[in-house]
Structure formats: structure tokens, C-alpha cells
Amino acid sequence: MNLLAYNYKEIFFQQAKKQKNVFMLPESQITGIDMPLPMIDVLEMIADNTKRRGCPVPISEKDAYGWTEGLNIPHDGETVLFTGLLYQLTPHIDSLVKYLDSLEKSSIATLAMKLGRVAGKVIDVTKIASPPKHRVEEQNNILRNIAMLLMKSGVSFGYIYGDDMYSGVLLYDLGMEDEFEKHAEKVYKRLKEIGVKRIITIDPHTTHIMRKVYPNFIDSYDIDVKNYLEILSEKGIKGRGLKKEVTIHDPCLYARYENITEQPRKLLESIGIEVKEPENSKTMTFCCGGPIESLSPKLSKGIASHRMNELTKAGKEIVTMCPICYSSLIRVKPEDVRMEDISQYLAEGFLGGVE
Amino acid sequence: MKAEEILEKVIEAMEDPVLREGLRRGVNASVPAVIRALTTWPNLTELADYVRKRKEEVLKNIDYYINETLKSIEERAKAKAYFASSREDVLRTVDSILGDGKKIIVKAKSMVTEEVMLREHLAERGHEVYETDLGELMIQIAKDKPMHVIAPAVHLTRERAVDILKSAGVEVTKDMKHEEIVSRVRTFLRDKFMRADIGISGANSIAADTGAIFLVFNEGNISLATTLPLVHIAVVSIEKIMPTTMDAFAQTLVQSGYAGLFPPTYIYMIAGPSSTADIEYHRVYGVHGPKELHVILYDGGRKNALNDQVLREQLFCVKCGRCEFACPIWNVSGNIWGGKVYGGPLGLAWTAITEGIERAAPLSMLCLLDGACREVCPMSIDIPKIARYLKNRYVRESRK
């Protein structure tokens, strides 16, 4: 059912041979040149997937909604937990990045670029490996913990399963606003159809897109958006002391676009955690490199290393609040450094060490 | 250029340890310096808001302010005023001022003259041209490009600096300390200052009500370059116009504060050629300073950008370069991520304005949209918005 499946090498060489005046090295000799990816092809792949499947990379229903198993969250409601699938997608995006990284290191991409786009699609989604089980399970734990934290705080909310949709953030960030607008309209229409009035978001990108960006594209947008860290911090739930020191990495979107910097600190401190500030923090935070990962894994890694350096100068235990930050930074994490999503600490402190 | 080629250059820069080290030093020195300036003199932040408002006034009525400025230059400052729409206009005007014969020219660092490649043009015509800002002098000799809008040679190490200076005849050696290198440069340039026929500068701002130009500097080079020669030519881009002399001064304070160089060692106001009437009230021009002052107001795509609701924002830029130090991509590659002249976050729109959208659009594809640039901008320019706009342009064009 992979509609983007092409045997790219075959198509590429066949078409390249048909072209006159093109000097072709034997396939075996074209290796080892480190060249950038054909950007537009990557974008087309992301746009095409989002259009056909609703997500930038393929993800099974089980990987998207399996985390709810055993939680018995009501199936509907005016207030719903809206994950925007970003946590769920991250292991799959990781696999895409790994695949792109291998392409970046091969020369197929370069040749395709130099010949123009005669070669057809260079990116082949069937080549993306499925993510390791433990990564999927890690994300599921995070999601379960967040849901349980919200329950504990006394918020009543539902979950809409198949209608918990991807926000389209990559389309927006990569310069495909036409497609983004169409996607946003689709998502919004569906949410209204099923009577959603308020959503609780759990990551910086989905929070920002649903709260500040959708209203720019959709007339009379009227869904109220709250982030779970804002809710937990307002509710002031009681937890136990963990007696730890962690270095906080603010996601750019929370800190500079959504004004969420004090809430996570307050929550961590309320469970006995001493929050260490790295060189650049709060509104002056430094990017994790994640936003460029699908166009250049290499550049992304370079920026991640830069940030990791700043973070480890402040401490050996790091807390992140965004799945993209987490996966960018984990790629360059030194062995002696521990890194966790904030929900894991909150669960430990507020839920008494669940998972 | 395609976005892939830019990416390739940026990655190459990222993997250059010497460049990275230079950039790191620049960032480590400048970022705390700006914060220090803004906490020690908190009124700089208020002044920045004020400057933005005054710039809005000018941008809304640009034709009026251009005319007022040209009039003031002639009538109040008693200088010659010119308006140049294009690079060719600037070069033609400068050529006609220079007249026949080979001249010795000393230059102040100026991004606008970089834009029109004035130095290269003058050298090609056989004039002897010297940049007098140390950083810019090294850029000139190395035929490099300015790596930062304020600190052009931020990426050069001492060793590299020695190599470069030596190749131009400055008497320096590898074992010299920073102090000694600078003193040799002083000797080298002092001779050029004394022999120069022409001084060329840009301006950090210009006042519409008096025609006075303001120049901010630390080395002392600009006062010499604009005072010792008998002729001074200033090339000033139109977004540097401020309604009043006070406003123009305010802009220089904001720029230097947000560049982390506050207070700057010198702020020089020039409101006409040097003159005296001390003998029988008879006005004589050119006493110790220039006899002639020529001010060229340069458009270079700016008026056009005013019609573009997104790019227009960049015309508020005071070019302090703080966004460059804050940008993750700039941190790993300097102005390699940029157009011919301008790089980093401010370089996206400035490249679009001065070189065309098609040159700037591919650059934007590397932008992380992390917003650090907007956060530190004294004029609160929404650079991520500009980047999104350019990304959409690039994707649309590339898909055709």
C-alpha cells in the first residue's frame, strides 16, 4: 500500500541512460561522495505522504493509537487530548532521517540533482526501516504518563482515537503553505464535525500550530488550545520529592512562541527537582537542530552537538519537553549523560513512579 | 544557486575547525557584551522602541524624506547631494567626483559600499584603495567576504591575520603579539591616511532636517579617513534616513548598544565640509578637513521592498548584527550562509532586497525558524516570518 514505492535505482539508471550526452560512471564506482539531498524530492515525499496518509511518514494505527490500551479514556467529549501524533511519529521520523542520512552519504542523490529531476523520485519510503520497538514503547510510555497526569489533576477529557490527527507542522515549516492550508482545513473540519471545543496539546509544535497558526489560515477558528504543562501547573497537584538535579532544555516553540517557560520549572521544582539552567535558556534557548533534520541530517547533527555541549556544561542529566528535541539531542548524546522527557519526571513525582 | 549548493557550503564551513573557533570566540565575546550593555543602560531598550517609531515615520513617507534629506545636504550642510537608484548610478557618481588621474583613497568600513562593490570598482580603474578598519583591511587583502555585519574578520585567527597582513606589505611576523600587530598596521595605514586624496565612508544614519551624517567607530580610523583627505564621499542607503538629528543620533546609540560596543569609542557627526571665516568673515572651505563633501543617497532595491509587506520589515534593521550571533546556523557557518554581502538571519531579507528574491529564497530553506533572531532584534523584526515567505517562494519556483 506504499504508493510512493519506486525502485529508484532502476528507474534512475534507465532514465539516465536514455539521456544523451550524459556521462555515466559504472554504478559500482559511484560511492563515497558526501553530497546534499535533493531537497525538493524530500519535500514532495513529505507532502505526498501527508496528503495520502495524513502523516509525513507512514505509521500504523497501532503505533499511532496503541498507547491508549488499558487507559479507558472516554471516546468523545468537548475537551479532548490532542497529541497531533508528534510523539508517536518521532521514532518513524528518526528512521526516515537515518535513511536520508545514508542517501546523503551516497551519490545517487547528487547525480539525480545534476541531471535534473529526470530520474523521478529519489526517495523511496519503502526503504525506511520500521523503528525499533523500544523507541515506540518509549513514546507510548510518555503518552500514557501524560494522560495519567491529566487524570490525576482532575481534568476530564476524552480521546478521539483515529481523529487525533497530525497538525501538518512540517508542511508549514518547510515552505508548503498551500498544502498546509488544505491539511489544516481538513483537520479543523473533522474536529468540528465531532464536536470538539477544547483541545489539550502535549508538544510545542502541535501547541503552536493549533493555537497560533491555524487561526491565520481558518476563518472563525474557535477551538480553545491548552498545553498540558499549563494545565498541570495551574492545577497545582501534589507530588513527592525526588531530590535530583536536572538541566533544562527549553524548546524554541514553547519559549519564544508560546510563552511556556515558567510552568515546567515550577512543576519540576514542586517535586523536589533542582532545575539547572544551561548557557542559553528560557527565551534565549538554542535550537536542537531538529527543524533541518529532514533536509540535512548532517547539519542537524552539527547544531545538536553545539547545543549538547552547552547542556552538558551545566549538568549530566537533561530534561527535554519536545519529541523532536529529544530525538535530535539523543543522536549526539555522550554515554554518561542521561536524558528524559519531562513527563517521565512528572510521572515519577506525581504518580508515584508509574512506569 | 540551489538550496543544495548552499547547504553544501554551509556544511563545509561547519567542518572547518578554524572558522568554527573564530565564530565561537566572536559569539563568546559579543553575546555577554550586549547583555551587559542592555542591563547597565536599560534606557537603550526604550530608545530602540523610539527609533522603530521614527523609522516607521520615514518608511511611510520615503519620497518626502529623501527629498528633505537631499535638500538639507545642499542647503544646510553646504555639501553636494546625489540620489543613486542603482549600483551603476553610485559608481558613475563616484567616478565623476574623482575626475581624471589616479587617486589614493582611504575607506571606512561600509556595508553599502560592499553592496555596490565600490572598492573593487575603484581598484579596477587604477586607483589605490585602502580599507582602514583592520578587520575590513584583512577582508580586502584576502579577497574574502565580511563574515559578520559588524565584525567582518571574526573568523580569522591571529596566525591567519599575520599571513594576510604580511602579504600586503604590513611588517608583521608570526611571533608578534596582538598589540604589536596592531601597531604595525597603524604605521602602515598612517602613511596612506596622510597621502590620501579621497576619503570614502558609509553612514550609520543621516538626518533629514540637517543633512548631517553619523558614523560610529572604535578604531579611530573613520575620523582620519573622513578628515585628512580634501574630499569626502559618503554613500548612504535610504533606510538610514531619520527625521531629525536627534533621531539620527539615537539610532547610532541603539545600533552600538545592540552590537555590544557601548558606549562606542567614537560617534562622529559630519554636517558639511570643513570651513573657517576667521579672516574678515570670508568663508573658506577646507581648513584641516575636507574642502568638499559629497553625499550619495542610495536606493539599491529598498524603495521596491517597501511595496512588499513582508520584506519591508527588514528596512527597520539597524544592522547591529546581534541576530547573527544568536542564530544556530550562523554559529556553525558564519556569513557563508548568506548572499554576496549579507549573511545570517538579517542576510535573508537584505539579500532579497539588494540582490533579488531569487538569490535569497534558497538561503531560507536552511532556516530553523527557531526565532532566536527575532528575540534579540532591537527592532523586533519578525525574521522567521520573512524566512517562511522566502521558503514558500523557493518551493513554488522549484516545483515549476
Side-chain angles (χ1 to χ4, degrees):
Chain A
M1 153 79 197
N2 272 310
L3 295 156
L4 273 175
Y6 294 94
N7 185 339
Y8 71 100
K9 270 197 183 177
E10 203 170 288
I11 295 174
F12 174 78
F13 280 97
Q14 272 174 8
Q15 296 205 8
K17 273 173 203 157
K18 275 186 214 155
Q19 276 212 322
K20 281 177 189 165
N21 307 323
V22 174
F23 171 72
M24 290 292 296
L25 282 167
E27 197 180 340
S28 59
Q29 289 185 21
I30 318 170
T31 50
I33 321 161
D34 228 2
M35 291 296 239
L37 295 161
M39 226 174 253
I40 295 300
D41 283 343
V42 179
L43 299 190
E44 297 288 12
M45 187 270 301
I46 288 168
D48 206 37
N49 265 317
T50 311
K51 191 175 167 197
R52 291 169 199 274
R53 303 188 172 94
C55 285
V57 283
I59 180 171
S60 69
E61 272 195 26
K62 186 168 167 287
D63 284 0
Y65 311 111
W67 65 273
T68 54
E69 217 176 297
L71 282 177
N72 296 320
I73 312 176
H75 209 121
D76 48 15
E78 291 184 348
T79 304
V80 300
L81 177 62
F82 190 79
T83 72
L85 304 187
L86 204 63
Y87 271 99
Q88 296 93 311
L89 280 166
T90 308
H92 298 263
I93 296 174
D94 273 357
S95 301
L96 166 72
V97 171
K98 243 183 227 144
Y99 165 66
L100 293 176
D101 194 25
S102 69
L103 265 189
E104 202 177 25
K105 290 194 172 86
S106 83
S107 55
I108 296 296
T110 315
L111 278 174
M113 244 178 66
K114 286 192 176 146
L115 297 172
R117 298 193 31 236
V118 290
K121 298 271 188 280
V122 177
I123 316 295
D124 174 5
V125 288
T126 63
K127 290 281 193 298
I128 306 172
S130 32
K133 266 219 162 74
H134 77 272
R135 277 287 278 141
V136 176
E137 206 32 54
E138 238 171 56
Q139 305 302 304
N140 286 349
N141 272 342
I142 291 171
L143 293 159
R144 271 197 288 271
N145 281 335
I146 292 173
M148 286 165 75
L149 283 162
L150 285 166
M151 287 174 190
K152 170 99 188 243
S153 76
V155 186
S156 66
F157 62 92
Y159 186 64
I160 45 182
Y161 298 86
D163 291 320
D164 176 11
M165 293 163 278
Y166 173 64
S167 68
V169 53
L170 270 178
L171 298 176
Y172 181 59
D173 284 352
L174 294 174
M176 297 180 282
E177 272 179 19
D178 297 341
E179 279 99 334
F180 171 74
E181 188 169 6
K182 281 190 198 112
H183 183 81
E185 278 164 1
K186 229 169 23 187
V187 170
Y188 183 66
K189 192 167 158 239
R190 184 64 192 147
L191 290 177
K192 295 305 281 181
E193 261 168 25
I194 57 173
V196 171
K197 291 197 170 140
R198 284 171 296 274
I199 58 174
I200 302 169
T201 52
I202 62 169
D203 73 81
H205 294 273
T206 309
T207 304
H208 177 62
I209 291 279
M210 301 306 289
R211 183 145 68 188
K212 303 263 173 74
V213 181
Y214 270 30
N216 297 337
F217 286 84
I218 293 161
D219 293 336
S220 58
Y221 179 82
D222 67 346
I223 289 179
D224 184 55
V225 181
K226 267 252 155 137
N227 180 272
Y228 87 103
L229 295 171
E230 294 171 327
I231 294 175
L232 294 181
S233 141
E234 278 168 23
K235 292 281 177 186
I237 49 172
K238 293 240 162 4
R240 63 190 180 106
L242 295 182
K243 297 218 169 57
K244 254 182 200 302
E245 263 183 14
V246 298
T247 301
I248 193 163
H249 166 70
D250 290 283
C252 300
L253 270 293
Y254 275 164
R256 286 194 277 261
Y257 289 76
E258 290 299 326
N259 197 23
I260 300 178
T261 52
E262 292 315 317
Q263 298 89 333
R265 286 169 172 78
K266 189 181 137 193
L267 286 166
L268 290 169
E269 278 156 12
S270 76
I271 49 171
I273 292 177
E274 192 189 321
V275 178
K276 304 270 257 179
E277 303 288 343
E279 192 179 319
N280 288 306
S281 82
K282 298 187 183 172
T283 56
M284 299 298 279
T285 189
F286 197 91
C287 180
C288 66
I292 193 86
E293 65 182 355
S294 55
L295 298 184
S296 173
K298 207 173 193 178
L299 181 55
S300 175
K301 239 178 169 172
I303 290 161
S305 302
H306 192 107
R307 179 55 171 169
M308 183 52 86
N309 236 333
E310 293 182 352
L311 291 168
T312 50
K313 268 188 211 150
K316 295 283 181 205
E317 191 161 339
I318 297 164
V319 55
T320 60
M321 303 173 228
C322 167
I324 306 284
C325 292
Y326 181 87
S327 68
S328 302
L329 293 171
I330 202 94
R331 287 181 202 129
V332 297
K333 185 184 78 64
E335 263 183 33
D336 61 334
V337 171
R338 194 183 155 199
M339 196 165 73
E340 293 283 359
D341 187 82
I342 188 168
S343 59
Q344 304 305 88
Y345 293 107
L346 299 181
E348 214 181 318
F350 291 120
L351 305 175
V354 172
E355 290 175 325
Chain B
M1 208 186 282
K2 288 171 95 173
E4 288 88 346
E5 294 166 62
I6 291 160
L7 183 58
E8 214 177 321
K9 288 208 168 81
V10 164
I11 288 177
E12 203 180 297
M14 179 173 86
E15 290 172 344
D16 174 350
V18 178
L19 175 71
R20 282 293 288 279
E21 178 56 19
L23 296 176
R24 197 187 60 79
R25 275 185 218 155
V27 170
N28 287 354
S30 296
V31 172
V34 180
I35 300 205
R36 252 194 326 271
L38 300 183
T39 31
T40 316
W41 298 282
N43 55 354
L44 282 172
T45 321
E46 282 161 46
L47 202 56
D49 294 341
Y50 171 79
V51 165
R52 180 163 171 120
K53 281 190 198 106
R54 299 304 279 161
K55 290 181 86 68
E56 179 67 63
E57 160 67 18
V58 173
L59 295 180
K60 263 196 211 144
N61 307 293
I62 192 69
D63 288 326
Y64 169 79
Y65 278 101
I66 290 172
N67 282 334
E68 280 302 293
T69 310
L70 291 170
K71 226 160 65 191
S72 295
I73 295 166
E74 295 260 346
E75 290 169 12
R76 307 223 158 102
K78 309 289 180 209
K80 292 282 279 173
Y82 310 81
F83 181 77
S85 315
S86 64
R87 169 176 191 249
E88 288 66 36
D89 287 351
V90 175
L91 302 183
R92 209 179 307 119
T93 308
V94 173
D95 286 345
S96 74
I97 298 167
L98 261 51
D100 295 330
K102 309 284 183 226
K103 303 280 175 6
I104 299 176
I105 300 165
V106 282
K107 262 192 91 271
K109 184 182 102 64
S110 140
M111 293 305 279
V112 178
T113 60
E114 290 283 323
E115 261 178 56
V116 300
M117 296 194 293
L118 185 56
R119 182 180 66 230
E120 290 83 350
H121 169 79
L122 294 172
E124 233 168 70
R125 292 182 61 92
H127 302 294
E128 221 178 287
V129 193
Y130 298 95
E131 291 290 349
T132 61
D133 173 272
L134 175 50
E136 193 68 15
L137 174 67
M138 293 192 284
I139 297 296
Q140 174 187 12
I141 300 165
K143 295 196 169 61
D144 212 336
K145 87 185 233 194
M147 208 48 75
H148 182 267
V149 73
I150 298 281
V154 63
H155 59 303
L156 302 178
T157 56
R158 186 181 57 90
E159 294 76 12
R160 177 90 180 103
V162 166
D163 283 342
I164 291 170
L165 291 167
K166 211 168 157 180
S167 75
V170 184
E171 289 172 7
V172 283
T173 54
K174 282 245 191 283
D175 54 342
M176 281 183 181
K177 295 217 162 60
H178 301 82
E179 287 74 11
E180 201 165 347
I181 299 172
V182 171
S183 121
R184 296 299 169 98
V185 171
R186 180 190 174 99
T187 311
F188 173 82
L189 279 179
R190 189 51 59 98
D191 164 65
K192 320 297 174 206
F193 281 126
M194 298 307 291
R195 287 169 42 225
D197 305 297
I198 314 275
I200 294 182
S201 75
N204 297 81
S205 59
I206 183 163
D209 64 345
T210 57
I213 63 169
F214 284 82
L215 289 151
V216 182
F217 53 106
N218 296 293
E219 295 180 7
N221 61 318
I222 294 188
S223 42
L224 296 179
T226 58
T227 307
L228 291 174
L230 269 175
V231 178
H232 172 201
I233 304 171
V235 187
V236 189
S237 53
I238 55 170
E239 92 282 2
K240 297 282 173 73
I241 298 175
M242 292 296 273
T244 68
T245 307
M246 286 294 282
D247 295 337
F249 181 57
Q251 169 157 323
T252 63
L253 295 180
V254 169
Q255 186 197 15
S256 41
Y258 281 80
L261 301 165
F262 198 84
T265 316
Y266 305 99
I267 295 182
Y268 211 39
M269 186 184 98
I270 300 174
S274 135
S275 78
T276 180
D278 278 352
I279 302 171
E280 294 181 338
Y281 277 92
H282 178 83
R283 179 69 54 191
V284 177
Y285 287 98
V287 193
H288 303 289
K291 191 174 180 170
E292 292 171 30
L293 170 64
H294 303 264
V295 181
I296 304 171
L297 279 188
Y298 173 55
D299 175 0
R302 286 151 177 91
K303 272 173 78 170
N304 209 10
L306 277 173
N307 301 321
D308 184 317
Q309 281 317 303
V310 179
L311 292 182
R312 179 184 194 274
E313 266 295 291
Q314 197 66 43
L315 297 173
F316 285 96
C317 175
V318 294
K319 295 188 186 150
C320 63
R322 195 183 179 201
C323 59
E324 299 183 290
F325 289 129
C327 172
I329 304 281
W330 190 89
N331 264 264
V332 300
S333 65
N335 274 1
I336 299 292
W337 180 49
K340 215 173 60 192
V341 180
Y342 299 102
L346 68 88
L348 291 178
W350 277 121
T351 302
I353 294 166
T354 61
E355 294 180 54
I357 286 193
E358 63 292 345
R359 287 290 301 266
L363 293 169
S364 71
M365 293 307 285
L366 271 61
C367 173
L368 302 162
L369 306 167
D370 59 296
C373 46
R374 181 179 60 187
E375 195 64 34
V376 300
C377 177
M379 296 291 115
S380 311
I381 298 170
D382 194 346
I383 299 175
K385 186 177 174 184
I386 293 169
R388 281 184 198 284
Y389 171 72
L390 294 171
K391 282 185 188 214
N392 277 287
R393 279 290 290 255
Y394 182 73
V395 173
R396 211 168 297 141
E397 290 299 313
S398 308
R399 279 171 154 182
K400 269 182 192 163

